[in-house]
Amino acid sequence: MNSEIKNLLQDVRDGKVSVDDALLEIKKKPFEDIGFAKVDLHRKARQGAAEVIYGAGKTPEQIGGIVRAMLGSGQKRILITRMSKESADFLSATDGEKIPFKYREDARVGIVGGFPSPGKTGTVLVATGGTSDIPVAEEAALTAEFFGNNVTRLYDVGVAGLHRLLSHLDDLMKASVIIAIAGMEGALASVIGGLVDCPVIAVPTSVGYGASFGGVSALLSMLNSCASGVSVVNIDNGFGAGYLANMINRGGSR
């Protein structure tokens, strides 16, 4: 059961909240129709994490409208992925005085309300094959941090210079879940998967020359990994990897 609902029921049991007030909280409208979007207000109650805004394809005005609807429903922190600089500038100009907003242009990630303090969970380790993979890696790392995870970054430790990765064996062995991000032939995930005893989430990136086919080569390599315990998300999907790592890490702590 979601912790938010569980806490509410415990408050009813302990006499801190009346039955009527708890029922009102649960019955609040499940979504808000703002014309161009139906904002899911019950996502956190169902899944443990509130709706995340996917910024690509949305106008700055649409993103601003969704943010205001979410804040109006009581949501304290909001993650916006694939957000353009134009949309970030618009949100800062129109709502920046009323809401705490930060934008990371390298990862194309916007964050309303800041990060929580990391919980008492294990560590999510984010590793990249090369520097060119860092934008996807930062999307993954920031997503994991947004949901309260401790994150360690190991960048530019690809198999073209394997000694770079092996010099961080202690960090690899201590991780609760590892996100391995690489383009080209995508070999990093298999190498890491063969070294550690925790789940490895592989993220193929669209980095590479023509025969990489925009990340398809890395995707197929990762799907065919001979290392056990390696799962794969879509090309350049740093958010999906960070979200899944959060679920694994926090689920393990439960």
Side-chain angles (χ1 to χ4, degrees):
M1 180 180 291
N2 172 261
S3 59
E4 187 174 295
I5 299 298
K6 185 177 181 180
N7 290 338
L8 180 62
L9 295 176
Q10 288 174 338
D11 285 343
V12 172
R13 180 197 63 190
D14 297 339
K16 298 178 182 178
V17 176
S18 70
V19 172
D20 288 341
D21 286 344
L23 184 61
L24 179 63
E25 187 67 26
I26 293 172
K27 289 173 63 177
K28 282 180 179 178
K29 57 184 179 180
F31 68 91
E32 181 176 350
D33 190 341
I34 57 175
F36 54 84
K38 293 178 176 62
V39 184
D40 188 351
L41 304 179
H42 273 192
R43 184 79 59 89
K44 187 173 183 180
R46 295 196 316 272
Q47 297 186 324
E51 183 175 11
V52 172
I53 301 173
Y54 178 68
K58 293 181 176 67
T59 66
E61 292 79 9
Q62 287 172 335
I63 292 175
I66 295 170
V67 166
R68 286 188 287 274
M70 295 171 90
L71 292 173
S73 73
Q75 189 167 328
K76 298 294 191 296
R77 298 183 301 108
I78 301 168
L79 179 65
I80 309 165
T81 66
R82 301 302 167 95
M83 188 182 197
S84 67
K85 181 69 162 53
E86 177 189 8
S87 294
D89 289 343
F90 175 85
L91 193 62
S92 294
T94 56
D95 297 275
E97 293 184 1
K98 294 177 288 184
I99 61 173
F101 173 70
K102 297 288 186 182
Y103 179 63
R104 282 285 301 273
E105 188 171 1
D106 56 343
R108 294 186 290 168
V109 165
I111 296 169
V112 175
F115 293 94
S117 299
K120 294 181 179 179
T121 60
T123 298
V124 176
L125 187 145
V126 182
T128 73
T131 305
S132 298
D133 302 308
I134 289 178
V136 176
E138 277 302 301
E139 183 181 61
L142 292 169
T143 297
E145 288 175 334
F146 179 83
F147 290 113
N149 296 273
N150 295 289
V151 175
T152 296
R153 293 162 168 84
L154 291 183
Y155 291 167
D156 197 25
V157 291
V159 300
L162 196 56
H163 53 288
R164 299 174 299 177
L165 178 68
L166 297 179
S167 68
H168 294 283
L169 279 177
D170 285 348
D171 290 322
L172 293 167
M173 299 302 178
K174 291 176 183 176
S176 297
V177 55
I178 295 174
I179 302 173
I181 302 172
M184 301 291 186
E185 84 285 19
L188 182 65
S190 288
V191 173
I192 290 178
L195 291 171
V196 301
D197 62 356
C198 66
V200 176
I201 304 169
V203 187
T205 68
S206 52
V207 172
Y209 292 102
S212 70
F213 299 110
V216 173
S217 291
L219 172 64
L220 294 176
S221 294
M222 290 171 170
L223 287 171
N224 284 287
S225 174
C226 62
S228 303
V230 175
S231 60
V232 187
V233 299
N234 209 345
I235 298 168
D236 292 338
N237 189 8
F239 164 74
Y243 189 94
L244 180 57
N246 164 68
M247 295 180 73
I248 294 171
N249 191 34
R250 299 177 76 84
S253 68
R254 286 199 297 271

